[in-house]
Amino acid sequence: MSTTTEHTPESGDPLDSGPPTRPVPRLIQNEATTEIPVHLLFRDDPAPVSVPLRPAVVARRQGTGEQPRLRRPAAAAPRPAAAVDPDLVESPARVLPGAVGVLAGLGGVAGGLATSWWAGVLPSLAVHALRLPASAGLGPAQWAAYAGAGALGACGFAGLARGVTGQARVLALFGRYRGTVRRTGLLWINPLHLRRRVDVRLRHWRSEEMPAADGSGVALRVAVLVVWRVRDTARAVLGVEDHEGYLRECVEAALARVPVEMPGGVRGSVEAATDALTRRVAADAAGIGLEVFAVQPVRVAYAPEVAEAMHRRRIAALDAQQRATVLTSVVDSVEDTVTRLTMRGLVELDDYERKVLVRDLTVAFCSGRTGSAP
């Protein structure tokens, strides 16, 4: 196979005046290899001509021994957020002071009394005592005045509401969100608005036992304490049917994904599980306007189907740990005894006698430790 081609300069070529250069090598290339300059196979040129390389093997061919090109793992797609209407955001509702409603109600009552005097409905004793003029009787005008006064009084008194600290009211008019009332004191709200009361105080909820698993996949039953509050009343009330039930489902889903360790296990495992649970539940509940501060396991137990087996395993592990501790203590005691006897010159022992002494001391110490153990 021809590997190189020579460049023959012609007359008038600007290369004639320069020093002789090595001919540019051809490249070995096929459909599955990188372009390789031939001069790299024969390193006789101290300054080879650099040739740009194109991408390497695209895929591995069966039976060729070629290494496949490393591919970057595709980034995991982020989890979609809760599908809540982005336009549904809490906004303050338009309300009036309660004095306005009181004045309107009193105005309606006064209008009704005036209309009754006008229509002559007041008792005759009151007419004579007040020396009122003769009445005009009940006619269309009097009925219209009654209707106006009654509507004014009913609207004034029916719109009165008492705002309480820690509670809010979500207002809706004909199915459309009209705002949230967080003010306290006596207020007047449009009587046509549908009001839904929401508790916005800091709340805690202790769950019932939920299924979970530890890092090894052993089934557990976990009860958690959730500290939370409603941050966006519009999304919590109108964005989901039951925000408390939604929070309960978020906690159960998080327990299915986050391993929970038994108390007394790996140091920091409880804190790590608490942080992981809090992050996951807070991210899932943020879409419906809930703010989660902590999700902490308060009771962790093995599931009934594995409780007996895990109890036996735990007892065996504790027994093995105790035996290892006793054996270590006995070996240290024997070593210390033999060393002190030898260093003080009380006995002179050869290898056989040393082994016999170590054996007898070990048996004696083990018998004493085992007998004194509860």
Side-chain angles (χ1 to χ4, degrees), residues 16-67:
D16 294 342
S17 59
T21 59
R22 184 181 180 88
V24 179
R26 296 184 58 186
L27 303 177
I28 299 176
Q29 178 184 3
N30 56 29
E31 62 184 17
T33 61
T34 307
E35 295 181 352
I36 304 176
V38 176
H39 66 75
L40 293 179
L41 304 178
F42 309 95
R43 302 304 297 264
D44 57 350
D45 189 353
V49 180
S50 60
V51 179
L53 300 180
R54 289 188 297 184
V57 179
V58 176
R60 180 175 181 176
R61 293 193 302 171
Q62 187 69 23
T64 61
E66 299 171 354
Q67 296 297 326

mmCIF file of all heavy atoms in Angstrom, residues 16-67:
data_model
loop_
_atom_site.group_PDB
_atom_site.id
_atom_site.type_symbol
_atom_site.label_atom_id
_atom_site.label_comp_id
_atom_site.label_asym_id
_atom_site.label_seq_id
_atom_site.Cartn_x
_atom_site.Cartn_y
_atom_site.Cartn_z
ATOM 1 N N ASP A 16 10.753 26.714 -3.782
ATOM 2 C CA ASP A 16 12.102 26.446 -4.252
ATOM 3 C C ASP A 16 13.133 27.151 -3.405
ATOM 4 O O ASP A 16 14.245 26.656 -3.204
ATOM 5 C CB ASP A 16 12.246 26.888 -5.711
ATOM 6 C CG ASP A 16 11.366 26.022 -6.618
ATOM 7 O OD1 ASP A 16 10.979 24.925 -6.144
ATOM 8 O OD2 ASP A 16 11.057 26.442 -7.739
ATOM 9 N N SER A 17 12.794 28.339 -2.899
ATOM 10 C CA SER A 17 13.780 29.117 -2.155
ATOM 11 C C SER A 17 13.933 28.654 -0.728
ATOM 12 O O SER A 17 14.925 28.976 -0.083
ATOM 13 C CB SER A 17 13.386 30.605 -2.158
ATOM 14 O OG SER A 17 12.109 30.744 -1.562
ATOM 15 N N GLY A 18 13.001 27.917 -0.147
ATOM 16 C CA GLY A 18 13.042 27.489 1.252
ATOM 17 C C GLY A 18 13.782 26.192 1.416
ATOM 18 O O GLY A 18 14.179 25.535 0.438
ATOM 19 N N PRO A 19 14.001 25.779 2.633
ATOM 20 C CA PRO A 19 14.684 24.519 2.891
ATOM 21 C C PRO A 19 13.804 23.346 2.493
ATOM 22 O O PRO A 19 12.579 23.458 2.430
ATOM 23 C CB PRO A 19 14.895 24.556 4.416
ATOM 24 C CG PRO A 19 13.817 25.432 4.917
ATOM 25 C CD PRO A 19 13.611 26.465 3.857
ATOM 26 N N PRO A 20 14.373 22.260 2.216
ATOM 27 C CA PRO A 20 13.568 21.091 1.804
ATOM 28 C C PRO A 20 12.694 20.612 2.954
ATOM 29 O O PRO A 20 13.125 20.559 4.108
ATOM 30 C CB PRO A 20 14.626 20.049 1.441
ATOM 31 C CG PRO A 20 15.840 20.460 2.192
ATOM 32 C CD PRO A 20 15.808 21.964 2.241
ATOM 33 N N THR A 21 11.514 20.327 2.641
ATOM 34 C CA THR A 21 10.551 19.869 3.660
ATOM 35 C C THR A 21 10.169 18.440 3.392
ATOM 36 O O THR A 21 10.229 17.963 2.246
ATOM 37 C CB THR A 21 9.292 20.745 3.642
ATOM 38 O OG1 THR A 21 8.703 20.667 2.348
ATOM 39 C CG2 THR A 21 9.636 22.212 3.937
ATOM 40 N N ARG A 22 9.759 17.804 4.477
ATOM 41 C CA ARG A 22 9.319 16.401 4.353
ATOM 42 C C ARG A 22 7.952 16.382 3.681
ATOM 43 O O ARG A 22 7.065 17.161 4.004
ATOM 44 C CB ARG A 22 9.230 15.762 5.735
ATOM 45 C CG ARG A 22 8.873 14.277 5.696
ATOM 46 C CD ARG A 22 8.797 13.743 7.125
ATOM 47 N NE ARG A 22 8.461 12.350 7.128
ATOM 48 C CZ ARG A 22 9.346 11.356 7.047
ATOM 49 N NH1 ARG A 22 10.633 11.657 6.964
ATOM 50 N NH2 ARG A 22 8.963 10.102 7.062
ATOM 51 N N PRO A 23 7.759 15.470 2.745
ATOM 52 C CA PRO A 23 6.446 15.409 2.081
ATOM 53 C C PRO A 23 5.349 15.089 3.094
ATOM 54 O O PRO A 23 5.556 14.355 4.058
ATOM 55 C CB PRO A 23 6.611 14.280 1.057
ATOM 56 C CG PRO A 23 7.764 13.471 1.548
ATOM 57 C CD PRO A 23 8.696 14.445 2.221
ATOM 58 N N VAL A 24 4.210 15.708 2.831
ATOM 59 C CA VAL A 24 3.056 15.508 3.718
ATOM 60 C C VAL A 24 2.570 14.071 3.600
ATOM 61 O O VAL A 24 2.307 13.600 2.484
ATOM 62 C CB VAL A 24 1.925 16.480 3.343
ATOM 63 C CG1 VAL A 24 0.725 16.239 4.245
ATOM 64 C CG2 VAL A 24 2.425 17.899 3.434
ATOM 65 N N PRO A 25 2.498 13.357 4.712
ATOM 66 C CA PRO A 25 2.102 11.941 4.627
ATOM 67 C C PRO A 25 0.605 11.808 4.387
ATOM 68 O O PRO A 25 -0.186 12.664 4.732
ATOM 69 C CB PRO A 25 2.488 11.397 5.998
ATOM 70 C CG PRO A 25 2.374 12.569 6.904
ATOM 71 C CD PRO A 25 2.794 13.751 6.083
ATOM 72 N N ARG A 26 0.269 10.699 3.802
ATOM 73 C CA ARG A 26 -1.142 10.350 3.687
ATOM 74 C C ARG A 26 -1.617 9.710 4.990
ATOM 75 O O ARG A 26 -0.828 9.363 5.848
ATOM 76 C CB ARG A 26 -1.346 9.389 2.525
ATOM 77 C CG ARG A 26 -1.009 9.995 1.169
ATOM 78 C CD ARG A 26 -1.309 9.033 0.058
ATOM 79 N NE ARG A 26 -2.707 8.631 0.079
ATOM 80 C CZ ARG A 26 -3.207 7.698 -0.737
ATOM 81 N NH1 ARG A 26 -2.444 7.075 -1.594
ATOM 82 N NH2 ARG A 26 -4.478 7.394 -0.666
ATOM 83 N N LEU A 27 -2.862 9.564 5.075
ATOM 84 C CA LEU A 27 -3.462 9.087 6.313
ATOM 85 C C LEU A 27 -4.046 7.700 6.117
ATOM 86 O O LEU A 27 -4.614 7.400 5.060
ATOM 87 C CB LEU A 27 -4.577 10.035 6.782
ATOM 88 C CG LEU A 27 -4.145 11.485 6.981
ATOM 89 C CD1 LEU A 27 -5.347 12.309 7.364
ATOM 90 C CD2 LEU A 27 -3.063 11.579 8.025
ATOM 91 N N ILE A 28 -3.853 6.875 7.154
ATOM 92 C CA ILE A 28 -4.546 5.579 7.181
ATOM 93 C C ILE A 28 -5.920 5.820 7.779
ATOM 94 O O ILE A 28 -6.047 6.344 8.877
ATOM 95 C CB ILE A 28 -3.760 4.562 8.019
ATOM 96 C CG1 ILE A 28 -2.386 4.342 7.415
ATOM 97 C CG2 ILE A 28 -4.517 3.246 8.132
ATOM 98 C CD1 ILE A 28 -1.508 3.420 8.229
ATOM 99 N N GLN A 29 -6.932 5.440 7.096
ATOM 100 C CA GLN A 29 -8.292 5.741 7.561
ATOM 101 C C GLN A 29 -9.232 4.692 7.021
ATOM 102 O O GLN A 29 -9.083 4.210 5.901
ATOM 103 C CB GLN A 29 -8.718 7.132 7.079
ATOM 104 C CG GLN A 29 -10.131 7.507 7.484
ATOM 105 C CD GLN A 29 -10.539 8.846 6.914
ATOM 106 O OE1 GLN A 29 -9.752 9.445 6.173
ATOM 107 N NE2 GLN A 29 -11.727 9.282 7.228
ATOM 108 N N ASN A 30 -10.157 4.272 7.835
ATOM 109 C CA ASN A 30 -11.269 3.464 7.354
ATOM 110 C C ASN A 30 -12.537 3.957 8.008
ATOM 111 O O ASN A 30 -12.539 4.995 8.684
ATOM 112 C CB ASN A 30 -11.040 1.964 7.638
ATOM 113 C CG ASN A 30 -10.799 1.678 9.104
ATOM 114 O OD1 ASN A 30 -11.305 2.413 9.945
ATOM 115 N ND2 ASN A 30 -10.031 0.629 9.395
ATOM 116 N N GLU A 31 -13.626 3.186 7.889
ATOM 117 C CA GLU A 31 -14.911 3.686 8.351
ATOM 118 C C GLU A 31 -15.061 3.654 9.851
ATOM 119 O O GLU A 31 -15.991 4.243 10.392
ATOM 120 C CB GLU A 31 -16.034 2.838 7.741
ATOM 121 C CG GLU A 31 -15.957 1.358 8.179
ATOM 122 C CD GLU A 31 -17.005 0.508 7.511
ATOM 123 O OE1 GLU A 31 -17.538 0.989 6.511
ATOM 124 O OE2 GLU A 31 -17.278 -0.599 7.989
ATOM 125 N N ALA A 32 -14.144 2.982 10.543
ATOM 126 C CA ALA A 32 -14.320 2.854 11.987
ATOM 127 C C ALA A 32 -13.098 3.263 12.783
ATOM 128 O O ALA A 32 -12.987 2.945 13.944
ATOM 129 C CB ALA A 32 -14.674 1.411 12.336
ATOM 130 N N THR A 33 -12.126 3.939 12.177
ATOM 131 C CA THR A 33 -10.927 4.353 12.893
ATOM 132 C C THR A 33 -10.690 5.821 12.693
ATOM 133 O O THR A 33 -11.224 6.454 11.779
ATOM 134 C CB THR A 33 -9.696 3.569 12.412
ATOM 135 O OG1 THR A 33 -9.513 3.836 11.028
ATOM 136 C CG2 THR A 33 -9.862 2.079 12.629
ATOM 137 N N THR A 34 -9.822 6.359 13.563
ATOM 138 C CA THR A 34 -9.430 7.758 13.446
ATOM 139 C C THR A 34 -8.369 7.906 12.368
ATOM 140 O O THR A 34 -7.599 6.979 12.100
ATOM 141 C CB THR A 34 -8.870 8.236 14.792
ATOM 142 O OG1 THR A 34 -9.827 7.927 15.797
ATOM 143 C CG2 THR A 34 -8.599 9.720 14.782
ATOM 144 N N GLU A 35 -8.330 9.053 11.742
ATOM 145 C CA GLU A 35 -7.244 9.332 10.812
ATOM 146 C C GLU A 35 -5.929 9.326 11.567
ATOM 147 O O GLU A 35 -5.761 10.048 12.552
ATOM 148 C CB GLU A 35 -7.457 10.691 10.148
ATOM 149 C CG GLU A 35 -8.699 10.731 9.262
ATOM 150 C CD GLU A 35 -8.844 12.077 8.604
ATOM 151 O OE1 GLU A 35 -8.083 12.990 8.959
ATOM 152 O OE2 GLU A 35 -9.689 12.204 7.725
ATOM 153 N N ILE A 36 -4.976 8.494 11.142
ATOM 154 C CA ILE A 36 -3.678 8.370 11.808
ATOM 155 C C ILE A 36 -2.589 8.738 10.806
ATOM 156 O O ILE A 36 -2.474 8.108 9.753
ATOM 157 C CB ILE A 36 -3.444 6.950 12.325
ATOM 158 C CG1 ILE A 36 -4.601 6.538 13.262
ATOM 159 C CG2 ILE A 36 -2.104 6.820 13.023
ATOM 160 C CD1 ILE A 36 -4.499 5.128 13.738
ATOM 161 N N PRO A 37 -1.787 9.736 11.074
ATOM 162 C CA PRO A 37 -0.677 10.050 10.159
ATOM 163 C C PRO A 37 0.300 8.882 10.097
ATOM 164 O O PRO A 37 0.637 8.285 11.118
ATOM 165 C CB PRO A 37 -0.035 11.291 10.785
ATOM 166 C CG PRO A 37 -1.076 11.850 11.706
ATOM 167 C CD PRO A 37 -1.876 10.676 12.159
ATOM 168 N N VAL A 38 0.763 8.564 8.891
ATOM 169 C CA VAL A 38 1.665 7.432 8.707
ATOM 170 C C VAL A 38 2.987 7.678 9.409
ATOM 171 O O VAL A 38 3.590 6.761 9.960
ATOM 172 C CB VAL A 38 1.881 7.170 7.203
ATOM 173 C CG1 VAL A 38 2.901 6.058 6.982
ATOM 174 C CG2 VAL A 38 0.562 6.805 6.558
ATOM 175 N N HIS A 39 3.427 8.937 9.471
ATOM 176 C CA HIS A 39 4.734 9.178 10.068
ATOM 177 C C HIS A 39 4.736 8.896 11.560
ATOM 178 O O HIS A 39 5.790 8.747 12.157
ATOM 179 C CB HIS A 39 5.188 10.617 9.810
ATOM 180 C CG HIS A 39 4.326 11.639 10.487
ATOM 181 N ND1 HIS A 39 4.380 11.884 11.835
ATOM 182 C CD2 HIS A 39 3.363 12.442 9.978
ATOM 183 C CE1 HIS A 39 3.515 12.821 12.142
ATOM 184 N NE2 HIS A 39 2.872 13.168 11.038
ATOM 185 N N LEU A 40 3.552 8.793 12.178
ATOM 186 C CA LEU A 40 3.519 8.426 13.583
ATOM 187 C C LEU A 40 3.924 6.980 13.788
ATOM 188 O O LEU A 40 4.331 6.593 14.878
ATOM 189 C CB LEU A 40 2.116 8.663 14.157
ATOM 190 C CG LEU A 40 1.676 10.120 14.237
ATOM 191 C CD1 LEU A 40 0.263 10.189 14.811
ATOM 192 C CD2 LEU A 40 2.631 10.933 15.097
ATOM 193 N N LEU A 41 3.804 6.139 12.752
ATOM 194 C CA LEU A 41 4.204 4.749 12.852
ATOM 195 C C LEU A 41 5.720 4.596 12.751
ATOM 196 O O LEU A 41 6.279 3.590 13.192
ATOM 197 C CB LEU A 41 3.520 3.917 11.773
ATOM 198 C CG LEU A 41 1.981 4.006 11.762
ATOM 199 C CD1 LEU A 41 1.429 3.170 10.629
ATOM 200 C CD2 LEU A 41 1.424 3.553 13.089
ATOM 201 N N PHE A 42 6.368 5.566 12.154
ATOM 202 C CA PHE A 42 7.822 5.516 11.994
ATOM 203 C C PHE A 42 8.369 6.830 12.511
ATOM 204 O O PHE A 42 8.394 7.830 11.787
ATOM 205 C CB PHE A 42 8.204 5.323 10.513
ATOM 206 C CG PHE A 42 7.484 4.179 9.871
ATOM 207 C CD1 PHE A 42 6.315 4.386 9.154
ATOM 208 C CD2 PHE A 42 7.951 2.881 10.024
ATOM 209 C CE1 PHE A 42 5.647 3.330 8.571
ATOM 210 C CE2 PHE A 42 7.270 1.822 9.426
ATOM 211 C CZ PHE A 42 6.124 2.037 8.710
ATOM 212 N N ARG A 43 8.768 6.864 13.799
ATOM 213 C CA ARG A 43 9.175 8.098 14.446
ATOM 214 C C ARG A 43 10.610 8.439 14.070
ATOM 215 O O ARG A 43 11.553 8.246 14.821
ATOM 216 C CB ARG A 43 9.033 7.979 15.953
ATOM 217 C CG ARG A 43 7.633 7.652 16.429
ATOM 218 C CD ARG A 43 6.645 8.675 15.914
ATOM 219 N NE ARG A 43 6.963 9.967 16.458
ATOM 220 C CZ ARG A 43 6.379 10.478 17.539
ATOM 221 N NH1 ARG A 43 5.432 9.802 18.128
ATOM 222 N NH2 ARG A 43 6.725 11.661 18.000
ATOM 223 N N ASP A 44 10.789 8.863 12.810
ATOM 224 C CA ASP A 44 12.112 9.277 12.360
ATOM 225 C C ASP A 44 12.192 10.759 12.108
ATOM 226 O O ASP A 44 13.238 11.275 11.745
ATOM 227 C CB ASP A 44 12.512 8.519 11.099
ATOM 228 C CG ASP A 44 11.498 8.716 9.982
ATOM 229 O OD1 ASP A 44 10.419 9.274 10.289
ATOM 230 O OD2 ASP A 44 11.779 8.299 8.849
ATOM 231 N N ASP A 45 11.087 11.455 12.267
ATOM 232 C CA ASP A 45 11.073 12.889 12.018
ATOM 233 C C ASP A 45 10.908 13.599 13.357
ATOM 234 O O ASP A 45 9.922 13.382 14.053
ATOM 235 C CB ASP A 45 9.915 13.249 11.089
ATOM 236 C CG ASP A 45 10.003 14.702 10.626
ATOM 237 O OD1 ASP A 45 10.874 15.457 11.131
ATOM 238 O OD2 ASP A 45 9.183 15.065 9.790
ATOM 239 N N PRO A 46 11.850 14.441 13.774
ATOM 240 C CA PRO A 46 11.706 15.115 15.066
ATOM 241 C C PRO A 46 10.573 16.101 15.115
ATOM 242 O O PRO A 46 10.087 16.435 16.170
ATOM 243 C CB PRO A 46 13.057 15.814 15.252
ATOM 244 C CG PRO A 46 13.577 15.991 13.869
ATOM 245 C CD PRO A 46 13.108 14.813 13.086
ATOM 246 N N ALA A 47 10.137 16.613 13.960
ATOM 247 C CA ALA A 47 9.052 17.604 13.942
ATOM 248 C C ALA A 47 8.033 17.203 12.905
ATOM 249 O O ALA A 47 8.042 17.709 11.783
ATOM 250 C CB ALA A 47 9.600 19.002 13.651
ATOM 251 N N PRO A 48 7.192 16.277 13.226
ATOM 252 C CA PRO A 48 6.211 15.829 12.225
ATOM 253 C C PRO A 48 5.166 16.904 11.972
ATOM 254 O O PRO A 48 4.901 17.756 12.796
ATOM 255 C CB PRO A 48 5.584 14.596 12.879
ATOM 256 C CG PRO A 48 5.759 14.822 14.340
ATOM 257 C CD PRO A 48 7.066 15.555 14.479
ATOM 258 N N VAL A 49 4.614 16.806 10.791
ATOM 259 C CA VAL A 49 3.574 17.747 10.408
ATOM 260 C C VAL A 49 2.292 17.382 11.147
ATOM 261 O O VAL A 49 1.862 16.232 11.115
ATOM 262 C CB VAL A 49 3.350 17.711 8.881
ATOM 263 C CG1 VAL A 49 2.258 18.688 8.486
ATOM 264 C CG2 VAL A 49 4.650 18.018 8.172
ATOM 265 N N SER A 50 1.712 18.362 11.840
ATOM 266 C CA SER A 50 0.487 18.105 12.595
ATOM 267 C C SER A 50 -0.694 18.085 11.661
ATOM 268 O O SER A 50 -0.841 18.953 10.803
ATOM 269 C CB SER A 50 0.293 19.185 13.659
ATOM 270 O OG SER A 50 0.187 20.443 13.048
ATOM 271 N N VAL A 51 -1.489 17.091 11.806
ATOM 272 C CA VAL A 51 -2.693 16.934 10.981
ATOM 273 C C VAL A 51 -3.882 16.903 11.913
ATOM 274 O O VAL A 51 -3.884 16.143 12.878
ATOM 275 C CB VAL A 51 -2.639 15.635 10.146
ATOM 276 C CG1 VAL A 51 -3.904 15.491 9.319
ATOM 277 C CG2 VAL A 51 -1.407 15.650 9.271
ATOM 278 N N PRO A 52 -4.890 17.721 11.717
ATOM 279 C CA PRO A 52 -6.069 17.697 12.604
ATOM 280 C C PRO A 52 -6.785 16.367 12.510
ATOM 281 O O PRO A 52 -6.925 15.797 11.419
ATOM 282 C CB PRO A 52 -6.932 18.854 12.082
ATOM 283 C CG PRO A 52 -6.493 19.048 10.680
ATOM 284 C CD PRO A 52 -5.027 18.707 10.628
ATOM 285 N N LEU A 53 -7.197 15.902 13.646
ATOM 286 C CA LEU A 53 -7.904 14.621 13.723
ATOM 287 C C LEU A 53 -9.398 14.856 13.763
ATOM 288 O O LEU A 53 -9.875 15.788 14.381
ATOM 289 C CB LEU A 53 -7.469 13.850 14.967
ATOM 290 C CG LEU A 53 -5.971 13.518 15.050
ATOM 291 C CD1 LEU A 53 -5.694 12.748 16.329
ATOM 292 C CD2 LEU A 53 -5.525 12.734 13.843
ATOM 293 N N ARG A 54 -10.098 13.991 13.154
ATOM 294 C CA ARG A 54 -11.549 14.025 13.176
ATOM 295 C C ARG A 54 -12.080 13.066 14.236
ATOM 296 O O ARG A 54 -11.294 12.290 14.783
ATOM 297 C CB ARG A 54 -12.093 13.677 11.790
ATOM 298 C CG ARG A 54 -11.835 14.780 10.772
ATOM 299 C CD ARG A 54 -12.527 14.522 9.479
ATOM 300 N NE ARG A 54 -12.030 13.305 8.822
ATOM 301 C CZ ARG A 54 -12.429 12.918 7.630
ATOM 302 N NH1 ARG A 54 -13.297 13.632 6.952
ATOM 303 N NH2 ARG A 54 -11.950 11.823 7.093
ATOM 304 N N PRO A 55 -13.344 13.116 14.560
ATOM 305 C CA PRO A 55 -13.859 12.261 15.628
ATOM 306 C C PRO A 55 -13.505 10.807 15.444
ATOM 307 O O PRO A 55 -13.370 10.311 14.331
ATOM 308 C CB PRO A 55 -15.374 12.488 15.577
ATOM 309 C CG PRO A 55 -15.508 13.838 14.991
ATOM 310 C CD PRO A 55 -14.381 13.973 14.020
ATOM 311 N N ALA A 56 -13.365 10.112 16.563
ATOM 312 C CA ALA A 56 -12.900 8.736 16.547
ATOM 313 C C ALA A 56 -14.033 7.783 16.252
ATOM 314 O O ALA A 56 -15.013 8.152 15.613
ATOM 315 C CB ALA A 56 -12.260 8.407 17.886
ATOM 316 N N VAL A 57 -13.892 6.571 16.777
ATOM 317 C CA VAL A 57 -14.829 5.503 16.452
ATOM 318 C C VAL A 57 -16.244 5.912 16.817
ATOM 319 O O VAL A 57 -16.496 6.389 17.908
ATOM 320 C CB VAL A 57 -14.436 4.223 17.222
ATOM 321 C CG1 VAL A 57 -15.402 3.098 16.916
ATOM 322 C CG2 VAL A 57 -13.021 3.836 16.830
ATOM 323 N N VAL A 58 -17.133 5.716 15.902
ATOM 324 C CA VAL A 58 -18.530 6.055 16.148
ATOM 325 C C VAL A 58 -19.215 4.941 16.909
ATOM 326 O O VAL A 58 -19.983 5.174 17.823
ATOM 327 C CB VAL A 58 -19.245 6.332 14.819
ATOM 328 C CG1 VAL A 58 -20.722 6.582 15.058
ATOM 329 C CG2 VAL A 58 -18.589 7.490 14.115
ATOM 330 N N ALA A 59 -18.917 3.732 16.571
ATOM 331 C CA ALA A 59 -19.519 2.594 17.254
ATOM 332 C C ALA A 59 -18.569 1.415 17.179
ATOM 333 O O ALA A 59 -17.696 1.372 16.313
ATOM 334 C CB ALA A 59 -20.876 2.231 16.623
ATOM 335 N N ARG A 60 -18.731 0.479 18.050
ATOM 336 C CA ARG A 60 -17.849 -0.687 18.087
ATOM 337 C C ARG A 60 -18.330 -1.722 17.096
ATOM 338 O O ARG A 60 -19.510 -2.063 17.075
ATOM 339 C CB ARG A 60 -17.840 -1.266 19.502
ATOM 340 C CG ARG A 60 -16.952 -2.481 19.640
ATOM 341 C CD ARG A 60 -16.890 -2.921 21.073
ATOM 342 N NE ARG A 60 -16.014 -4.072 21.209
ATOM 343 C CZ ARG A 60 -15.715 -4.621 22.367
ATOM 344 N NH1 ARG A 60 -16.226 -4.126 23.478
ATOM 345 N NH2 ARG A 60 -14.912 -5.674 22.434
ATOM 346 N N ARG A 61 -17.395 -2.216 16.276
ATOM 347 C CA ARG A 61 -17.733 -3.274 15.327
ATOM 348 C C ARG A 61 -17.485 -4.627 15.966
ATOM 349 O O ARG A 61 -16.478 -4.833 16.633
ATOM 350 C CB ARG A 61 -16.908 -3.140 14.049
ATOM 351 C CG ARG A 61 -17.250 -1.894 13.255
ATOM 352 C CD ARG A 61 -16.661 -1.945 11.878
ATOM 353 N NE ARG A 61 -15.204 -2.106 11.918
ATOM 354 C CZ ARG A 61 -14.479 -2.355 10.851
ATOM 355 N NH1 ARG A 61 -15.046 -2.486 9.669
ATOM 356 N NH2 ARG A 61 -13.164 -2.503 10.961
ATOM 357 N N GLN A 62 -18.371 -5.533 15.745
ATOM 358 C CA GLN A 62 -18.300 -6.842 16.374
ATOM 359 C C GLN A 62 -17.062 -7.595 15.903
ATOM 360 O O GLN A 62 -16.833 -7.738 14.689
ATOM 361 C CB GLN A 62 -19.578 -7.642 16.051
ATOM 362 C CG GLN A 62 -19.682 -8.956 16.781
ATOM 363 C CD GLN A 62 -19.903 -8.725 18.257
ATOM 364 O OE1 GLN A 62 -20.379 -7.689 18.649
ATOM 365 N NE2 GLN A 62 -19.546 -9.721 19.058
ATOM 366 N N GLY A 63 -16.241 -8.068 16.863
ATOM 367 C CA GLY A 63 -15.098 -8.895 16.518
ATOM 368 C C GLY A 63 -13.849 -8.145 16.131
ATOM 369 O O GLY A 63 -12.846 -8.765 15.781
ATOM 370 N N THR A 64 -13.852 -6.839 16.149
ATOM 371 C CA THR A 64 -12.667 -6.079 15.756
ATOM 372 C C THR A 64 -11.793 -5.718 16.934
ATOM 373 O O THR A 64 -10.660 -5.292 16.750
ATOM 374 C CB THR A 64 -13.082 -4.792 15.036
ATOM 375 O OG1 THR A 64 -13.860 -4.002 15.931
ATOM 376 C CG2 THR A 64 -13.881 -5.097 13.788
ATOM 377 N N GLY A 65 -12.300 -5.820 18.147
ATOM 378 C CA GLY A 65 -11.515 -5.446 19.315
ATOM 379 C C GLY A 65 -11.448 -3.961 19.555
ATOM 380 O O GLY A 65 -10.718 -3.501 20.428
ATOM 381 N N GLU A 66 -12.192 -3.185 18.784
ATOM 382 C CA GLU A 66 -12.173 -1.738 18.966
ATOM 383 C C GLU A 66 -12.989 -1.366 20.198
ATOM 384 O O GLU A 66 -14.015 -1.967 20.485
ATOM 385 C CB GLU A 66 -12.743 -1.041 17.738
ATOM 386 C CG GLU A 66 -11.948 -1.329 16.475
ATOM 387 C CD GLU A 66 -12.666 -0.809 15.241
ATOM 388 O OE1 GLU A 66 -13.804 -0.355 15.416
ATOM 389 O OE2 GLU A 66 -12.107 -0.873 14.153
ATOM 390 N N GLN A 67 -12.513 -0.351 20.926
ATOM 391 C CA GLN A 67 -13.225 0.133 22.107
ATOM 392 C C GLN A 67 -14.295 1.118 21.687
ATOM 393 O O GLN A 67 -14.043 1.981 20.836
ATOM 394 C CB GLN A 67 -12.257 0.803 23.080
ATOM 395 C CG GLN A 67 -11.225 -0.164 23.645
ATOM 396 C CD GLN A 67 -11.888 -1.254 24.457
ATOM 397 O OE1 GLN A 67 -12.895 -1.016 25.101
ATOM 398 N NE2 GLN A 67 -11.314 -2.458 24.409
#
